[in-house]
Amino acid sequence: MSNLVQVSKNNDIAVITINNPPVNALSPGVPEGISEAIDQINADNSVRAAVVIGSGRTFIAGADIKEFEKITSGQNQRGVGLLPLLLKIEDSRKPVVMAIHGTAFGGGLEVAMAGHYRVASPDGQVGQPEVKLGIIPGAGGTQRLPRLAGVAKAVEMCAGGNPVKAPEAAKIGIIDRVIEGDLLSGAVAFAREIAGKAAPKTRERNEKLGTAEQNQPIFTAARENASKKQRNMMAPQAAIHAVEYATRLPFDQGCEMEARLFKECLFSDQSKALIHVFFGEREVAKVPDIPKETPIIPVNSVAVVGAGTMGGGIAMVFANAGIPVLLKEADQAALDRGLATIQKNYANSVKRGRFTQEYVDQRLKLIKPTLSYDDFGNVDMVVEAVFEGMALKKEVFKELDRVCKQGAILASNTSTLNIDEIAASTSRPQAVIGTHFFSPANVMRLLEIVRGKATGKDVIATCMQLSKKLGKVGVLVGNCRGFVGNRMFHPYRREAQFLVEEGATVEAVDKALYDFGMAMGPLATGDLAGLDVGWRIRKEYRHLEKPGVRQPMAEDRLCEQGRYGQKTGAGWYKYDENRRAIPDPEVERLVRQGAAEANIPQRQISAQEIVDRCIYALVNEGARILEEGFALRSIDIDIIYLNGYGFPAYRGGPMKYADTVGLKKVYEQIQEFHRQHGETWEPAPLLKRLAEESKTFADFNKEKSASA
Ligand code: 3HC
Ligand code: NAI
């Protein structure tokens, strides 16, 4: 028998143990091993019932996701092929009890549902998360789950993808018993109780399938919900269809329809993109020159300097992770303002039911306000979030160097300044790093971790690990202006403005990108962040602009009119008291007037051109960043865009999107834009090379790791 599955005996009960670390995925060998084990127990007269359990940290966490890439590329002709195994388990003459701890996800839950009974530890979870990978359950999950949990719950789980904890799973019928204490002994005792009794087959249980009248409103509501919350995504809709088939067709035919929908989803670009994201989120945690064994600096207390927009949010992030924070301000009024904002944000979270009052009280106790550096000698890490200005940052870091203990991490939240220059104001540049949180810091998942020339490997490893503890996705980036995210965002938003200046309406630009899948259009995003921020930066760096290169002008004009965006009630749009954006003819007038003065010809612009201009501007800059080494891999750029800029996950990020379109096509279009619009569209040399060699950004990652 395969060494991935073992059979042992506890007197009359067989124990089938799956042993495929780290998560007991159903990789090749595991289904075969389970199948052989079922044969073995049925052939053994001394066995009255069997328990299936996972060794290590979990029951089966699903099909092996790596196999999907092999199936779609033709390397695996066998498919997932679990259906016959599940029928075999269900038809076993000896009853099979599935013993669940950790996560019985996807194919794991499908295996569990083919068992005759399921028991679970209190912390066990069950779920059909396939939609998060752009697919649907492919081994009868959409057919068996409604038979156990009812149609409404099955639709919710298969289309939403969120897991259910064991106690709730027991209430809704997925789990037969929650076992306190040792799971294996409890499962064996349970197996002894049911041995010899008639064993229920899930596929034959039709009592929860409801009637057409009962089910119709469930499916209609689920479809509407999915079209809003999982906009443009095909898998949730397919999952709902598949559950609907369970209510209309006999089990076998339902499984056939499920298999058809599963295959359509699996071969879609959406699924390939979401699988890229699944592995990408894990890959970004790995830094090639920083080994796993790098020592981690314990971070048990921190200080934040500056309690403004970012500092206040960052203090909340640490407090939410249970880490005490000293919050320092320059004067009492600013400190009071900062604390009031923190309290208001927490109060809103209580109102919305996100946190309880008790939780909030505990978190607030962890934040200690101060006006001095007196207690900084004790903290393990400082995050500086004062105004953006090099002179001030240097002054603060000089002071931190004086007061902080050796070994403490000195981090800056700067969004544009040079980390090496900041580090040079201290006697310990190895301790200095950038931790670039995104606004609102307590909400946004992205954390760009900026590596300076001298930053210590232990400091980097600690910040990468800490990001996970803080509930963030930490991505290591290099020290260039705007780092990765904002450096790319600049040409993206610049194109959005150019398009308006060439004749597109503000709403048409935003709508094209929203329909593409962005959480918000680029102009509305500017209004949310504040147009004055970029205006100030542009004024400061105007001397760096190359003469003769086209610059956008509309946003400067808006700012000159005091239209800074939502905070002043007007920017690209007007805003009502509920912050609803209303198109404003005054903006249209201002823009057209500016275009006439600058002799910009006006024309009709298609949604496709809007998308190509904005998204390819991201891609072209991303390619430069990649080649210059400021991002480690193209996936790092993708993960930044998904978590910090509202890029749709089902497109995999800007670089994956370009790979999907084909770099040759992207390059040719950029060449065309270059001819039409001049220097801003100079193609990135890496993009040119990869396009000419018919390669992808993913190939570049492979080239890079092979040469490392
Ligand atoms: N297939 C292949 N590899 C997997 C995997 C899977 N299903 N699940 C996890 N892994 C790998 C991860 O890539 C990671 O590898 P690495 O160490 O080389 O980076 C390693 O296992 C550990 O995973 P995590 O770092 O994510 O560990 P956590 O403890 O944080 O989380 C988990 C564990 C909750 C199980 C999480 O990994 C997870 O959600 N996995 C995916 C579960 C899933 O989507 N299952 C459905 C698969 S599709 C399916 O079953 C189709 C079926 O209907 C036919
Ligand atoms: P802010 O103006 O809201 O807050 C800055 C705070 O620092 C003020 O409250 C000020 O009183 C305080 N301060 C100034 N000098 C101080 C000192 N010596 N000691 C203690 N406190 C002092 O600014 P914001 O927006 O929070 O920005 C802070 C940093 O974060 C900047 O470097 C900015 O570039 C960066 N950033 C800002 C983002 C945003 O969206 N606002 C996003 C990401 C980074």
Side-chain angles (χ1 to χ4, degrees):
M1 171 160 309
S2 133
N3 59 0
L4 299 169
V5 178
Q6 284 105 30
V7 182
S8 60
K9 269 170 49 184
N10 183 319
N11 298 319
D12 52 342
I13 305 297
V15 176
I16 302 172
T17 306
I18 296 150
N19 187 8
N20 183 26
V23 297
N24 291 322
L26 292 161
S27 319
V30 175
E32 294 81 353
I34 300 173
S35 177
E36 281 176 43
I38 297 293
D39 288 338
Q40 189 179 325
I41 61 149
N42 277 301
D44 184 340
N45 287 338
S46 67
V47 170
R48 296 174 64 229
V51 168
V52 176
I53 195 163
S55 76
R57 66 204 225 209
T58 185
F59 189 74
I60 301 163
D64 185 338
I65 300 167
K66 288 194 197 88
E67 291 299 309
F68 294 147
E69 283 169 338
K70 294 185 193 154
I71 295 173
T72 51
S73 65
Q75 288 171 60
N76 169 343
Q77 306 284 347
R78 189 183 57 98
V80 182
L82 285 173
L83 283 171
L85 168 68
L86 304 196
L87 288 178
K88 182 185 240 184
I89 297 173
E90 211 166 36
D91 288 338
S92 159
R93 283 181 293 110
K94 313 282 171 75
V96 179
V97 177
M98 300 288 174
I100 297 168
H101 72 297
T103 46
F105 280 179
L109 177 55
E110 289 170 311
V111 168
M113 291 191 294
H116 304 101
Y117 301 94
R118 286 148 296 279
V119 298
S121 331
D123 61 351
Q125 295 184 61
V126 296
Q128 299 283 182
E130 287 88 342
V131 286
K132 297 188 178 177
L133 300 170
I135 54 175
I136 66 166
T142 61
Q143 308 302 300
R144 284 196 179 85
L145 191 55
R147 288 174 158 85
L148 290 180
V151 175
K153 199 70 202 174
V155 168
E156 184 188 315
M157 288 176 68
C158 293
N162 293 325
V164 168
K165 296 207 171 93
E168 193 199 339
K171 259 191 229 144
I172 58 184
I174 303 174
I175 300 288
D176 298 295
R177 186 178 294 171
V178 175
I179 293 189
E180 305 282 346
D182 183 61
L183 176 64
L184 180 58
S185 347
V188 167
F190 183 92
R192 230 162 246 141
E193 277 174 41
I194 54 90
K197 295 188 188 152
K201 294 183 185 178
T202 308
R203 70 174 192 268
E204 290 174 357
R205 293 171 60 175
N206 294 337
E207 69 275 11
K208 286 194 176 176
L209 289 179
T211 63
E213 297 76 56
Q214 288 165 336
N215 292 334
Q216 205 44 52
I218 298 174
F219 294 125
T220 307
R223 288 191 170 103
E224 262 172 40
N225 187 44
S227 64
K228 276 191 211 127
K229 295 206 177 127
Q230 294 147 298
R231 195 161 51 92
N232 301 350
M233 287 183 62
M234 67 187 275
Q237 300 289 347
I240 300 166
H241 287 323
V243 177
E244 190 167 17
Y245 284 127
T247 66
R248 294 188 171 185
L249 298 174
F251 178 82
D252 293 349
Q253 286 175 33
C255 286
E256 278 169 28
M257 296 311 290
E258 180 197 75
R260 196 177 295 177
L261 289 164
F262 172 82
K263 199 165 167 202
E264 267 172 37
C265 289
L266 183 64
F267 280 81
S268 69
D269 287 340
Q270 292 197 353
S271 168
K272 289 175 194 160
L274 286 162
I275 288 174
H276 162 84
V277 173
F278 176 83
F279 287 116
E281 287 209 341
R282 286 150 183 87
E283 178 125 17
V284 294
K286 296 166 193 156
V287 181
D289 73 326
I290 299 187
K292 255 195 193 151
E293 321 69 70
T294 307
I296 299 295
I297 302 163
V299 177
N300 297 318
S301 63
V302 300
V304 174
V305 188
T309 310
M310 295 307 290
I314 295 167
M316 289 172 75
V317 171
F318 282 106
N320 291 347
I323 300 173
V325 199
L326 271 177
L327 181 58
K328 182 198 175 286
E329 252 299 343
D331 59 59
Q332 191 62 47
L335 191 56
D336 291 345
R337 259 198 318 274
L339 285 171
T341 306
I342 292 174
Q343 274 156 354
K344 194 179 89 197
N345 287 341
Y346 273 131
N348 280 340
S349 299
V350 174
K351 233 191 267 163
R352 275 187 262 113
R354 193 169 158 233
F355 295 148
T356 62
Q357 188 59 47
E358 192 193 355
Y359 174 94
V360 164
D361 291 343
Q362 282 167 0
R363 303 300 127 176
L364 279 169
K365 264 193 219 138
L366 290 173
I367 301 176
K368 191 175 157 211
T370 178
L371 292 175
S372 80
Y373 285 108
D374 285 354
D375 294 327
F376 273 51
N378 299 321
V379 300
D380 300 316
M381 177 173 181
V382 182
V383 181
E384 165 278 312
V386 302
F387 301 127
E388 187 79 339
M390 186 52 94
L392 175 63
K393 302 263 184 202
K394 281 184 173 170
E395 203 180 290
V396 170
F397 272 78
K398 221 181 255 172
E399 195 60 22
L400 294 177
D401 192 23
R402 195 180 64 77
V403 295
C404 291
K405 66 183 178 194
Q406 283 304 318
I409 297 172
L410 308 183
S412 173
N413 189 53
T414 178
S415 42
T416 51
L417 300 174
N418 186 328
I419 292 293
D420 291 331
E421 203 178 329
I422 296 174
S425 65
T426 72
S427 64
R428 40 174 138 168
Q430 76 283 358
V432 178
I433 192 166
T435 48
H436 184 209
F437 288 83
F438 284 69
S439 181
N442 53 317
V443 177
M444 296 297 287
R445 278 185 86 210
L446 178 61
L447 178 63
E448 277 186 333
I449 296 172
V450 190
R451 179 179 199 165
K453 245 194 270 157
T455 310
K457 289 189 177 179
D458 54 345
V459 172
I460 298 170
T462 303
C463 290
M464 295 296 288
Q465 203 192 62
L466 185 64
S467 63
K468 206 166 180 188
K469 186 166 177 196
L470 299 179
K472 304 289 173 201
V473 181
V475 184
L476 190 67
V477 298
N479 180 27
C480 57
R481 211 172 118 213
F483 312 124
V484 170
N486 286 346
R487 178 170 157 185
M488 288 167 65
F489 205 52
H490 178 69
Y492 167 78
R493 291 205 68 256
R494 181 190 63 204
E495 283 310 308
Q497 292 184 64
F498 283 165
L499 286 156
V500 174
E501 292 169 8
E502 289 165 29
T505 63
V506 173
E507 304 85 88
V509 170
D510 276 349
K511 181 172 184 312
L513 286 147
Y514 179 79
D515 289 347
F516 171 81
M518 300 298 290
M520 258 179 135
L523 303 171
T525 306
D527 276 358
L528 179 67
L531 302 180
D532 54 320
V533 181
W535 186 39
R536 273 201 204 104
I537 295 173
R538 279 194 298 282
K539 281 196 277 192
E540 201 176 322
Y541 290 104
R542 194 130 283 165
H543 62 285
L544 297 179
E545 283 170 12
K546 235 171 146 186
V549 175
R550 181 178 172 190
Q551 296 296 333
M553 54 192 183
E555 235 161 58
D556 288 357
R557 290 198 168 212
L558 295 175
C559 288
E560 282 156 16
Q561 307 280 318
R563 301 181 72 116
Y564 293 173
Q566 290 196 14
K567 61 179 152 189
T568 55
W572 284 103
Y573 297 87
K574 279 189 292 199
Y575 292 89
D576 65 13
E577 59 286 356
N578 299 319
R579 300 208 157 185
R580 204 164 49 94
I582 304 161
D584 189 350
E586 176 59 13
V587 173
E588 186 64 18
R589 198 190 60 75
L590 268 177
V591 172
R592 297 299 148 234
Q593 190 188 344
E597 285 164 19
N599 287 324
I600 300 172
Q602 300 292 291
R603 62 193 174 91
Q604 286 278 334
I605 301 178
S606 69
Q608 186 63 52
E609 180 180 342
I610 294 172
V611 168
D612 287 350
R613 291 261 301 267
C614 293
I615 301 297
Y616 292 172
L618 280 179
V619 173
N620 203 30
E621 194 64 29
R624 283 185 212 287
I625 289 174
L626 201 54
E627 187 163 31
E628 291 163 12
F630 292 110
L632 281 168
R633 299 146 290 219
S634 59
I635 184 65
D636 294 64
I637 299 179
D638 287 336
I639 296 298
I640 286 173
Y641 263 77
L642 301 184
N643 292 288
Y645 296 86
F647 200 94
Y650 61 81
R651 295 196 190 268
M655 309 313 272
K656 174 69 181 174
Y657 173 70
D659 278 352
T660 305
V661 172
L663 294 192
K664 187 163 174 289
K665 194 167 162 203
V666 174
Y667 173 58
E668 282 167 2
Q669 185 61 70
I670 288 180
Q671 279 181 309
E672 181 55 33
F673 290 150
H674 189 204
R675 278 191 288 275
Q676 289 169 11
H677 303 284
E679 199 169 333
T680 48
W681 278 103
E682 172 91 45
L686 176 65
L687 176 64
K688 177 174 187 290
R689 173 171 78 77
L690 294 174
E692 285 171 353
E693 293 174 7
S694 301
K695 287 187 173 160
T696 59
F697 288 121
D699 292 327
F700 176 68
N701 299 340
K702 285 182 212 143
E703 279 175 17
K704 217 173 133 183
S705 55
S707 67

